[in-house]
Amino acid sequence: MSDIESDRHRLGMATRRSVLGDDHVNRAIANSTEFDAPFQTLITESAWGHVWSRPNFTPRERSIITIALLAALGQDDEVAMHVRATANTGASREDVREALLHVAIYAGVPAANHAIKIAKRVYDQLDANKTSDEEA
C-alpha cells in the first residue's frame, strides 16, 4: 500500500466509523475473509475515504442523497443500514421522508413505498432500543 492509499484508507475508516458506528464497522471487519477483503478495502478507500470524506456536502446531506439513491435502486439492506446511520449523520426522520417522496416521483412509487416500510421498521427498532435503554 502506498502512503496515499494508506492515508485514504485511514481517512475512509475514520469516516466509515463516524457514519456507521464502531459496532457495524467492527462486525464488517470481523466477518471479512480473504475473498472479500479487497472489496472492504475498495469501499473503505473509495466510498468512505474519497466520496463521503469530501467537504462539499455535510454528512447529513450525503446521508439524504445516499438513502434516496439506495431506495431508488431497491437496495433494501443498504437502505436500512443508512437509515440507522442517520443517528450519526444528523439527517432527521423528516429529511428521510422528504428524500423518499422524491424517490416516489423520480424513481417510482413502488420503490419509495418499499423503502418507507424499511425506514419505518428501522425507526421502530431504534425507538424500542431507546425505550429499553431509558428503562435500564
Side-chain angles (χ1 to χ4, degrees):
M1 213 181 267
S2 73
D3 290 338
I4 292 172
E5 290 169 330
S6 294
D7 289 345
R8 178 68 47 93
H9 194 271
R10 279 192 290 278
L11 176 61
M13 191 57 73
T15 302
R16 189 176 180 188
R17 287 183 181 283
S18 74
V19 172
L20 300 178
D22 288 331
D23 289 343
H24 176 88
V25 175
N26 290 343
R27 274 192 311 277
I29 292 168
N31 291 328
S32 182
T33 66
E34 184 180 337
F35 181 77
D36 70 337
F39 175 75
Q40 290 295 320
T41 299
L42 174 71
I43 62 173
T44 298
E45 291 176 357
S46 61
W48 299 106
H50 184 69
V51 175
W52 271 85
S53 296
R54 292 174 57 80
N56 306 70
F57 286 155
T58 66
R60 174 185 165 266
E61 291 166 329
R62 289 192 191 285
S63 190
I64 294 165
I65 292 166
T66 301
I67 290 168
L69 288 166
L70 292 169
L73 292 169
Q75 299 299 313
D76 300 355
D77 292 340
E78 296 283 322
V79 168
M81 179 180 72
H82 279 277
V83 169
R84 280 190 297 276
T86 61
N88 300 324
T89 65
S92 68
R93 292 177 187 205
E94 292 78 14
D95 292 332
V96 172
R97 180 181 58 220
E98 293 301 318
L100 296 178
L101 288 171
H102 271 68
V103 170
I105 297 304
Y106 291 99
V109 170
N113 186 42
H114 189 64
I116 288 168
K117 290 175 187 174
I118 293 168
K120 286 170 57 176
R121 185 170 54 242
V122 169
Y123 288 138
D124 288 346
Q125 292 166 350
L126 292 173
D127 291 344
N129 290 342
K130 184 177 177 183
T131 302
S132 297
D133 291 344
E134 290 172 356
E135 292 172 356

